[in-house]
Amino acid sequence: MTIPSPAGPQNEGSKNAAPQNAAPHNEGPRPAAPRPAVPRSGGPGGGPARALQRVTASALGPYQSAVVRIGFAATYLFFLLRELPNRHELYGPDSPWHWDLARQLTNGNEAFSVLMWTDSTVWFEAVYALTLLSAAALLLGWRTRTMSVLFMVGVLSVQNRSIFMGDGGDNVVHLMAIYLVLTRCAQVWSLDARRAARDAQRAAAGLPPLRDILGPALWVLLGPVLVAATLMGGLGGTWWLPALLWTLWLSAAAWWAVNRYLPHGEPRTLLDVLANLTHNATLAVIMAEVCLIYATAGWYKIQGSRWQDGTALYYPLNLDYFTPWPALSDILGASGLMVMVLTYGTVIVQVAFPFTLFNRRVKNVLLVAMICEHAGIALLLGLPFFSMAMIAADAVFLPTAFLVWLGARATIGGRRLLSGLPGRSRTPGKPGASGPAHGPADPSEAGSVKDGRGGTEEPRLQGGGGGHTLVG
């Protein structure tokens, strides 16, 4: 098959010279060769094929999933820190909801809680501390896969110990802690992503990747715990939680083996596809969950008489329990017009939001309105952790361009802050200069990392590990 030379300016010598031993001939212009037909997005197989390739070749929403991870980890971390002095009365041995009562309830509803394994105070302290540390590690994106599992176990254990301690936001944290285990939420803005970038720089320089020891050690350490909990029946009465934990533990071993022996083979590609499908499906479930929360809340409000006459907001503003700033609540509650506008506005925004997802501009406007609404709830009604949980859930709909801009601003601000610290020079190249972080900020620049020493590949933006590795 002869490939015609591209049209355009050519060298004059090659243009006018006749090839040797070529018979002169007079030939008219030849018709252009037909181009291969490319299916359009609307044609059969065009749009569906591209959509299938997109959901299998990459984990969508890397910035949105990272914000959800950071938001919920920060929400529960701050909650545990605030309740640190009161932990024994809320969830520990001094709780009015005694351990025996909690045991009877969990036996009846088959809920899971490692705090039900024993009523020892030492065990409670260990579980509380482990939950707090896993939330901090998940916030930073350190060993994200392992920490997300420990975070889920800690959240379920603490909340199921005393189910009456909560303000509504605990239900959202409960669900999102389970969903985060199935997402590749460490592709960006995480220590795992920075470690992947450093490994990519070593690979580009021809250096072998650093061998990981901590990841396999965590896997080996958690294995006997899972075996013992399964044999003793300490994983609750449901089937899905043991199946999920065992699947995660065994899949971590599969990732380690494939990354060590076949880092660029078909099994690695298959694992990537399965992980991407799981991530994208879970992200869709998170979006549907947020829409369901707002839709049910809005439609239930419509059925209430106080919401219909526009006075619903007046009553919580005059309850001592929901007035951390009495003067501010009195000023707002004294304005009948403001109370009516906020009451009707809340219903309109909650009911309308699920129907605006296909209109980007309207969706973004309502998203800002809902975030402002939750900020007002935190300020006026004294429910900061409920508001933080809902804002973190809303973040799954934030535009990628805004999140990238926000991340760039945060990076610049952090570097300026570090450059102003004592002992740090602002002159590049001198000792103490802050300089850029190790590795690119975006793991998409890191590419794939070949591992020949037993380590695993870290998260990549397009079809990457996202924490679904033994060390993630």
Side-chain angles (χ1 to χ4, degrees):
M1 174 175 160
T2 304
I3 301 177
S5 59
Q10 297 179 349
N11 184 277
E12 290 296 330
S14 62
K15 184 177 180 181
N16 299 327
Q20 291 182 346
N21 302 329
H25 58 277
N26 191 5
E27 199 175 61
R30 297 180 179 179
R35 297 181 179 180
V38 179
R40 298 185 178 183
S41 59
R50 271 199 294 269
L52 180 61
Q53 182 182 10
R54 189 179 182 189
V55 299
T56 56
S58 62
L60 305 178
Y63 292 95
Q64 287 80 0
S65 58
V67 171
V68 172
R69 182 200 86 231
I70 294 171
F72 280 100
T75 298
Y76 211 64
L77 174 63
F78 295 152
F79 172 78
L80 294 177
L81 289 176
R82 191 194 71 171
E83 301 300 344
L84 194 61
N86 308 313
R87 63 190 184 280
H88 286 258
E89 290 76 15
L90 293 177
Y91 304 104
D94 299 332
S95 173
W97 187 249
H98 197 263
W99 187 85
D100 292 333
L101 295 175
R103 181 74 174 179
Q104 295 177 25
L105 181 61
T106 54
N107 288 338
N109 60 13
E110 299 182 339
F112 164 76
S113 176
V114 298
L115 291 176
M116 293 294 98
W117 293 358
T118 175
D119 59 350
S120 170
T121 303
V122 176
W123 176 245
F124 166 76
E125 296 287 1
V127 172
Y128 197 93
L130 182 62
T131 306
L132 196 150
L133 293 175
S134 64
L138 186 63
L139 172 65
L140 299 175
W142 181 78
R143 309 286 171 175
T144 310
R145 179 56 45 230
T146 302
M147 292 304 117
S148 64
V149 175
L150 294 179
F151 178 74
M152 177 192 70
V153 170
V155 168
L156 297 182
S157 299
V158 173
Q159 291 187 355
N160 290 335
R161 167 61 178 86
S162 299
I163 62 173
F164 301 107
M165 301 296 176
D167 53 11
D170 56 317
N171 295 327
V172 182
V173 176
H174 189 108
L175 293 173
M176 294 301 174
I178 301 174
Y179 297 153
L180 283 175
V181 172
L182 303 174
T183 61
R184 313 184 92 167
C185 55
Q187 300 176 95
V188 296
W189 299 343
S190 67
L191 296 180
D192 289 345
R194 294 189 63 178
R195 189 168 64 251
R198 288 194 295 268
D199 287 344
Q201 285 185 337
R202 292 179 59 88
L207 300 175
L210 297 175
R211 185 172 183 177
D212 181 67
I213 300 177
L214 182 58
L218 289 173
W219 182 81
V220 172
L221 179 64
L222 294 176
V225 177
L226 182 58
V227 172
T230 303
L231 295 178
M232 294 188 304
L235 297 180
T238 60
W239 64 268
W240 65 266
L241 184 61
L244 175 62
L245 294 177
W246 275 105
T247 301
L248 292 171
W249 191 73
L250 295 175
S251 64
W255 273 96
W256 178 84
V258 169
N259 280 327
R260 178 166 184 174
Y261 299 108
L262 295 170
H264 302 289
E266 291 185 359
R268 178 64 168 83
T269 303
L270 176 61
L271 290 179
D272 258 334
V273 169
L274 294 177
N276 290 334
L277 287 174
T278 303
H279 167 91
N280 296 330
T282 306
L283 204 62
V285 170
I286 292 175
M287 293 179 179
E289 188 76 36
V290 176
C291 292
L292 184 63
I293 290 174
Y294 284 120
T296 53
W299 286 105
Y300 271 113
K301 286 181 175 66
I302 288 177
Q303 303 175 37
S305 59
R306 295 293 178 264
W307 291 95
Q308 293 176 4
D309 59 25
T311 62
L313 186 62
Y314 173 82
Y315 298 97
L317 290 176
N318 287 273
L319 293 176
D320 294 337
Y321 187 77
F322 292 108
T323 53
W325 310 97
L328 185 59
S329 299
D330 292 341
I331 294 174
L332 185 60
S335 174
L337 178 61
M338 185 61 66
V339 169
M340 182 185 68
V341 169
L342 293 178
T343 301
Y344 286 150
T346 299
V347 176
I348 292 172
V349 168
Q350 292 182 352
V351 172
F353 179 74
F355 300 99
T356 64
L357 296 182
F358 298 101
N359 190 312
R360 182 177 301 177
R361 293 182 178 178
V362 179
K363 182 262 295 181
N364 291 338
V365 171
L366 291 186
L367 193 59
V368 172
M370 288 192 302
I371 292 176
C372 293
E373 172 192 337
H374 291 303
I377 291 175
L379 179 65
L380 295 174
L381 302 183
L383 299 173
F385 299 108
F386 167 79
S387 299
M388 288 180 63
M390 292 308 303
I391 291 175
D394 295 340
V396 73
F397 294 106
L398 288 175
T400 301
F402 169 74
L403 293 176
V404 172
W405 174 86
L406 187 64
R409 296 298 97 189
T411 301
I412 294 175
R415 289 177 180 174
R416 289 178 178 176
L417 180 63
L418 291 177
S419 64
L421 293 177
R424 287 184 175 264
S425 172
R426 299 190 182 188
T427 305
K430 292 186 179 182
S434 59
H438 293 286
D442 195 332
S444 62
E445 302 174 11
S448 61
V449 181
K450 183 177 180 181
D451 191 341
R453 301 180 58 188
T456 60
E457 293 189 359
E458 291 296 334
R460 292 175 295 177
L461 185 57
Q462 296 297 330
H468 282 259
T469 64
L470 182 61
V471 304

